Amino acid sequence: MPEQPSASPVPAPNAEQKRIAVQSFAKAKELLAEGGYDYAIQLLLTCCKLDPANFHYRKQLRETQKAKYGDNLRGSRFAFLTTPRWKAKLRTAKRNREYLKALEHGEQVLCRNPWDLGAQMDMAEAFDALGLSDLAVFSLDQARQKYPKDATLNRALARLFEKRGDFQKAMILWQLVRETSPSDVEAQHKAKDLAANATIQKGGYEQAAAGTKESPVVGRIESRATEKADRLTREAGPLLTRIAADPTEPSLYLQLAAVYRRGGQEDRARAVLQQGLGPTGNAFQIQLELMELDLAPVRKNLEHADARLKKLKARAADDTDTGTDEEMTEAELAALRAKLQKEVLAREIELYRVRADRFPNEPGHRIELGTRLLKADQIDEAIAELQQARRDDRLKWRAALYLGLCFKKRNNWRLAQRNFEEGLTGVPESEEPVKKELLYQLATGAAENGDLARALDLGHELANLDFAFKNIGKLLDEWHDRMQSA
């Protein structure tokens, strides 16, 4: 593939930049011969920054990134922790039309996971916006190594080929979109007009559809139909049709993203939402859903870390189990879980703060924000949010519980007690778990502040509801003994 023409809006490197890039590229090639991937990658990143339109630098960088991880199709073991920050920067730069910055941030993602679909699709948009169509095709081509039948990806690549005039390659990709999504109106139209089936059978363009010979997947584009459409495809088809008819309606993108999420297609859901930002004028609902979508994998990783830690502890307790396939120690897993918990909490605080500010008359958002601020030990901020939520009579009891916990953390028992009692008075009968927690907090607080008689009364009321709740049975015995000794 040739380098981009001089008409590209990307400024050409000056003589000094060219010299540095050439020397860095030569040094990187020497290091690769010795297996020095990390330093070689840094040198190649420099080459791409100095000469962004150079196809050979970018191609060598991608090959090196993949070779570093042994072509494992997933990248670093901790990519899910290290890439979100760079992905956010990439999306922001692309949204602000700072395409060169977007490419730099995208390469940081690919240094950690060279198969990241979202990053490669975003970079392809940036390349295309800069007039670097060869590199745009290359990025999507690389993404197909892991996602050869993804309809969103194949559609984007087909459009690029059409834009370049490579209609035969576009035919095959449109046919793949149609096979994956039989009800897709655009794919049906393209497939019919371009006679994709006949072209595939006659022309033998499967290998040519790759755009580059190096792709291990594009060169094997299948000419036969894939399996029959599943429920995901049937649900997505009508929504895609409605979006084509009315691309400015945010709810359609949200519904389609929900369909993809239910089908485990988070990347496709994200692509749909990002596609909807422009036509809907950056609709707030879509921005919120993207925040939720970015949070979901972190939550899932936390669940996995919890499960792995639990499994490791169970094996440690089993004297007969001497083997383990766990790559991390218990201490490493505990540290990873703590880091993930902190990340989830920080993202949830950001999400609910945005919701609370946007919808000030929805006290439920303030309660969610307040509870997470409490968990993060941002007590004063939590109190401010919960006191606003307490003004709503429907949620007053719930806000009172968390306000009591906040004041208890601030060692202000009088205010904690007042809120716990207020919550106990208003808690609905259907919310028995909350009632038990309020009784427990009041009983233990009374005991800690020397009112053992009150602690026993409240403790017995709780024990009458659930004697096994936490350690109330043992506490009742202790309080009774203290009363007797006094």
Side-chain angles (χ1 to χ4, degrees), residues 296-320:
V298 188
R299 284 176 173 154
K300 186 177 293 185
N301 289 329
L302 177 57
E303 292 174 5
H304 290 165
D306 279 331
R308 289 167 64 187
L309 186 59
K310 184 178 180 180
K311 184 178 179 182
L312 194 61
K313 287 181 176 179
R315 281 179 168 172
D318 186 358
D319 295 336
T320 62

Side-chain angles (χ1 to χ4, degrees), residues 231-388:
R231 184 175 64 180
L232 175 67
T233 302
R234 290 195 300 272
E235 291 179 358
L239 289 169
L240 287 166
T241 303
R242 292 173 64 189
I243 288 173
D246 185 7
T248 62
E249 176 51 51
S251 64
L252 297 177
Y253 296 97
L254 294 171
Q255 292 176 50
L256 182 56
V259 168
Y260 287 142
R261 290 189 71 177
R262 286 197 299 272
Q265 302 287 332
E266 283 80 8
D267 286 331
R268 295 175 73 179
R270 182 178 289 103
V272 165
L273 293 170
Q274 290 173 340
Q275 175 190 346
L277 285 173
T280 63
N282 290 321
F284 184 73
Q285 307 97 304
I286 294 181
Q287 294 182 51
L288 277 182
E289 190 63 21
L290 277 169
M291 292 178 71
E292 282 278 12
L293 198 58
D294 289 338
L295 177 57
V298 188
R299 284 176 173 154
K300 186 177 293 185
N301 289 329
L302 177 57
E303 292 174 5
H304 290 165
D306 279 331
R308 289 167 64 187
L309 186 59
K310 184 178 180 180
K311 184 178 179 182
L312 194 61
K313 287 181 176 179
R315 281 179 168 172
D318 186 358
D319 295 336
T320 62
D321 189 354
T322 58
T324 177
D325 56 0
E326 180 57 63
E327 299 176 354
M328 303 176 69
T329 65
E330 183 175 334
E332 289 173 332
L333 275 174
L336 174 59
R337 182 178 64 173
K339 186 173 183 179
L340 287 168
Q341 286 174 328
K342 186 175 181 180
E343 175 72 11
V344 168
L345 191 56
R347 285 171 178 256
E348 287 181 341
I349 287 173
E350 179 185 5
L351 175 62
Y352 283 108
R353 181 172 278 128
V354 169
R355 284 181 169 171
D357 291 343
R358 179 74 175 194
F359 306 108
N361 296 324
E362 291 291 337
H365 297 322
R366 297 206 176 275
I367 286 185
E368 296 294 345
L369 174 58
T371 57
R372 284 157 178 82
L373 289 168
L374 171 59
K375 288 181 182 178
D377 286 328
Q378 299 178 39
I379 307 301
D380 290 348
E381 290 185 57
I383 291 172
E385 297 296 336
L386 293 166
Q387 284 181 334
Q388 290 192 57

Side-chain angles (χ1 to χ4, degrees), residues 368-417:
E368 296 294 345
L369 174 58
T371 57
R372 284 157 178 82
L373 289 168
L374 171 59
K375 288 181 182 178
D377 286 328
Q378 299 178 39
I379 307 301
D380 290 348
E381 290 185 57
I383 291 172
E385 297 296 336
L386 293 166
Q387 284 181 334
Q388 290 192 57
R390 189 178 56 184
R391 298 170 187 169
D392 189 299
D393 290 336
R394 297 169 300 170
L395 300 174
K396 192 173 185 178
W397 55 274
R398 183 178 295 169
L401 167 61
Y402 294 113
L403 277 168
L405 294 172
C406 288
F407 286 118
K408 193 173 181 180
K409 274 200 170 186
R410 292 186 99 258
N411 296 318
N412 190 330
W413 171 241
R414 289 187 63 184
L415 284 175
Q417 181 183 21

